[in-house]
Amino acid sequence: MDDIQHKLTAPSKASREDVMGRIISYTCIAAIIILVISILYFITSRGVATFTANHVNLWQFLSGKEWNPGTLNASGQPQVGALPMIVTSFSVTILAALVATPFAIAVALFMTDIAPKNGAKFLQPVIELLVGIPSVVYGFIGLTVVVPFIRHLFGGTGSGILAGTIVLFVMVLPTITSLAVDALKAVPTYFRSASLALGATRFQTIYKVLLRAAMPRLLTAVIFGMARAFGEALAVQMVIGNAALMPHNLVTPTSTLTSQLTTNIGNTIMGTLPNNALWSLALILLLMSLVFNLLIRYIGKRGEIKS
């Protein structure tokens, strides 16, 4: 009798596997949380050292136009103005998104509504190929093709915001396209059927029904592409010029936050002002990533409410 009771009350193999699975899942979740908190703490502590340990004015850092942390200006303050890199980073990101968005939406519409069978069959492998190409390949093509072409047209070195925009346009195009395809496929089929039944043409249905219904998700796709462009380092570094100067036009050499970091972080000593200033640039990148994520969540929630 006791043996039977013990067998009935003892945990089964399935319950033991369930407990083990829960332990593994919670352990992985805890490890991810600790990792994220550690990264946030490390970058934040290093980034604010410029203002706490080196006593650099925050407004001077964000609005200054001279970047040379190793020298002092006329007032005895270090030249750590990050405005040129901030302006250039936003410029190439916004321009690349503006150029890529119409192409991405057009390709997505072709794949989902205009030619859903042949279009998806031909274009899906092309998009997947573009996603799989390493950043250094994009940068090398930009350095050997785009930069000389711009130099031939406009003179100068050929490096600058225009070259960076063209390279980033190709890099973010598959990201925006893939998310735009998912956004258009998420629109209920009866939206299309009802519009066509009311006498609307295919393009009237696309413009007045599909795009408006999918707009929140399409905006999310664009913001994902902008986040991809804003954080890109290697490809932009190869074509931007890497000169920490305020850009006066689209074809003058300049520098982004990421290119400045990758170029100089290995040439500074940990704990010095030049090193802390670069970590402050990394902190700006981190804050912008958080802003992009908050925008995506905000737009996603508004889209859920409207639907």
Side-chain angles (χ1 to χ4, degrees):
M1 190 69 178
D2 294 338
D3 186 49
I4 297 175
Q5 182 179 4
H6 175 72
K7 289 182 180 180
L8 292 174
T9 58
S12 63
K13 181 180 179 181
S15 63
R16 290 195 299 270
E17 291 178 351
D18 181 68
V19 172
M20 182 60 65
R22 289 174 180 270
I23 293 174
I24 295 175
S25 299
Y26 290 143
T27 302
C28 294
I29 293 172
I32 293 173
I33 293 174
I34 293 173
L35 179 62
V36 172
I37 293 176
S38 300
I39 292 174
L40 292 175
Y41 173 76
F42 182 80
I43 296 178
T44 303
S45 61
R46 296 289 181 182
V48 299
T50 305
F51 315 109
T52 58
N54 302 117
H55 306 291
V56 175
N57 183 270
L58 177 60
W59 176 249
Q60 176 189 349
F61 179 81
L62 295 176
S63 62
K65 299 180 181 180
E66 300 291 334
W67 180 267
N68 192 4
T71 60
L72 303 178
N73 55 23
S75 60
Q77 295 292 325
Q79 297 180 356
V80 285
L83 185 61
M85 284 77 75
I86 296 174
V87 170
T88 304
S89 296
F90 277 102
S91 298
V92 295
T93 299
I94 294 173
L95 289 175
L98 289 176
V99 176
T101 298
F103 286 93
I105 293 178
V107 172
L109 287 171
F110 186 80
M111 293 174 61
T112 56
D113 288 273
I114 298 177
K117 293 184 179 180
N118 296 328
K121 182 179 179 181
F122 172 73
L123 291 175
Q124 190 64 36
V126 176
I127 295 173
E128 294 174 355
L129 177 64
L130 290 175
V131 172
I133 296 176
S135 299
V136 66
V137 176
Y138 284 111
F140 184 74
I141 294 174
L143 185 62
T144 57
V145 178
V146 177
V147 172
F149 180 72
I150 295 175
R151 185 190 305 128
H152 177 72
L153 288 180
F154 302 103
T157 63
S159 301
I161 293 177
L162 181 58
T165 298
I166 295 174
V167 172
L168 285 179
F169 152 68
V170 180
M171 294 185 68
V172 303
L173 182 62
T175 300
I176 301 177
T177 302
S178 299
L179 294 174
V181 169
D182 295 337
L184 293 173
K185 287 183 177 180
V187 178
T189 306
Y190 59 80
F191 279 27
R192 298 174 173 85
S193 303
S195 177
L196 295 174
L198 291 173
T201 63
R202 173 191 290 178
F203 291 98
Q204 286 176 332
T205 300
I206 290 174
Y207 175 69
K208 295 182 178 295
V209 178
L210 296 183
L211 292 181
R212 295 188 181 184
M215 186 57 65
R217 293 186 176 91
L218 292 176
L219 290 176
T220 301
V222 174
I223 295 174
F224 265 115
M226 292 178 66
R228 169 84 166 86
F230 197 84
E232 178 56 42
L234 185 57
V236 176
Q237 177 188 344
M238 297 175 71
V239 300
I240 202 69
N242 299 316
L245 303 172
M246 180 66 72
H248 299 289
N249 51 56
L250 298 181
V251 292
T252 55
T254 182
S255 181
T256 62
L257 294 168
T258 52
S259 65
Q260 193 68 22
L261 276 168
T262 54
T263 303
N264 296 318
I265 194 66
N267 302 321
T268 59
I269 300 174
M270 187 70 73
T272 60
L273 174 60
N275 184 266
N276 291 337
L278 292 175
W279 281 110
S280 297
L281 298 182
L283 181 59
I284 295 176
L285 284 171
L286 176 63
L287 294 177
M288 285 307 306
S289 299
L290 295 177
V291 169
F292 283 130
N293 288 330
L294 290 176
L295 283 175
I296 291 170
R297 293 178 63 87
Y298 174 73
I299 294 174
K301 288 183 178 180
R302 286 183 62 87
E304 291 176 359
I305 293 172
K306 288 183 178 181
S307 61

